[in-house]
Amino acid sequence: FGSRISRPSEVRANISCERASCPDPPSVAAMIYICKGCGEICMLPCRACEALCNVIGSSCKCFSDLFRPIVEGPLASYVLGTWACMLFAVAAGAYGIVDSECPDARMACGIFVGLAAVHAGFAYYLQHQIVSGLARKGLHPSSHSELAKEAMHILLYDFGVCLYVVIYIGSFGFACYSFAMLSCGAGAGYGAAILLIVYGWIASTYLLAWYFCNCCAGAVMSHSQSSKQIPPPQQQPVMLGAPMPPQGP
């Protein structure tokens, strides 16, 4: 029909040519391993990023577990605010020790650092004592009246709190007096002194407000609960046709 029929010899020649053009099996395997190696190299940044994310996630979880009892406990704002303020006071006092040339100014800055550490430690101590006292009694920290009672009990009978009251008053007085010691030259020391003075006013005001607010909230809640427990007076039924009780003269 016009098309040429291939001879068997030509067919065998074409097949041999196609086989000759294909790569050998060992070269194909080598190419596969080379591609896998390139793929592994390309995946290294992704795996490094995944490992870094796992490390950061574990660190954040540890950090969260460490601060969760403080954030969820009573006086959380007082504790965290004290830590932030005392961190700046420690930094200012430490810089004042290095920067000052006057011995009195360096001594004052060193005392500032020690007082800041005491304030920061007591803030956590007070929260821990309140939570521990309520836990020993089987009470929950969400009860306002119990929080106020436990805080007053700790204030009256805890030796650490009584010792801190003396240090607190001395810290405020020394911060006011330290301006005379810093007059010989301590730029950053003035910042630490001002922070301790301001903290003395704010911390005492906050603790008093926290105590009285818990007392008032506890009294209101106890009154509302007691009013709910008292049943309303029941009205006696009126019977028609019943004789009227005799009235006195």
Side-chain angles (χ1 to χ4, degrees):
F1 296 88
S3 62
R4 188 173 60 87
I5 300 175
S6 301
R7 297 179 180 178
S9 59
E10 293 179 356
V11 173
R12 286 195 296 270
N14 292 332
I15 293 175
S16 61
C17 291
E18 291 177 357
R19 289 180 178 176
S21 62
C22 295
D24 296 332
S27 62
V28 174
M31 291 296 296
I32 292 174
Y33 286 122
I34 291 173
C35 293
K36 287 184 177 180
C38 294
E40 293 293 330
I41 293 174
C42 294
M43 289 296 294
L44 284 178
C46 298
R47 292 178 179 175
C49 182
E50 183 180 359
L52 181 61
C53 291
N54 292 332
V55 171
I56 294 175
S58 301
S59 303
C60 292
K61 185 178 182 302
C62 295
F63 188 79
S64 176
D65 294 339
L66 178 64
F67 281 90
R68 182 178 292 112
I70 298 173
V71 175
E72 296 179 354
L75 292 174
S77 301
Y78 166 69
V79 177
L80 297 178
T82 300
W83 285 1
C85 183
M86 293 305 111
L87 180 63
F88 286 106
V90 168
Y95 185 77
I97 294 173
V98 177
D99 187 60
S100 301
E101 299 179 356
C102 178
D104 291 340
R106 287 199 297 267
M107 183 177 67
C109 291
I111 295 174
F112 292 153
V113 172
L115 291 174
V118 172
H119 289 311
F122 176 78
Y124 175 75
Y125 174 80
L126 180 60
Q127 185 191 51
H128 181 266
Q129 290 297 100
I130 293 175
V131 174
S132 301
L134 293 176
R136 285 192 298 266
K137 298 176 183 178
L139 301 173
H140 196 268
S142 60
S143 176
H144 296 283
S145 59
E146 296 300 332
L147 275 174
K149 291 178 182 178
E150 189 64 26
M152 181 56 66
H153 181 269
I154 291 173
L155 179 64
L156 295 176
Y157 299 103
D158 190 88
F159 177 76
V161 175
C162 295
L163 180 62
Y164 175 75
V165 170
V166 178
I167 297 175
Y168 180 85
I169 298 173
S171 171
F172 183 81
F174 177 78
C176 296
Y177 170 76
S178 64
F179 286 93
M181 302 177 64
L182 300 173
S183 60
C184 60
Y190 285 107
I194 293 173
L195 280 174
L196 289 178
I197 293 173
V198 173
Y199 174 79
W201 285 104
I202 294 177
S204 59
T205 305
Y206 177 84
L207 290 176
L208 288 174
W210 177 85
Y211 174 75
F212 286 114
C213 286
N214 278 283
C215 289
C216 295
V220 170
M221 292 182 65
S222 62
H223 178 72
S224 62
Q225 291 176 359
S226 61
S227 62
K228 290 180 181 179
Q229 293 176 359
I230 299 176
Q234 296 181 358
Q235 186 177 4
Q236 296 292 334
V238 178
M239 299 181 63
L240 298 176
M244 296 293 293
Q247 298 180 357

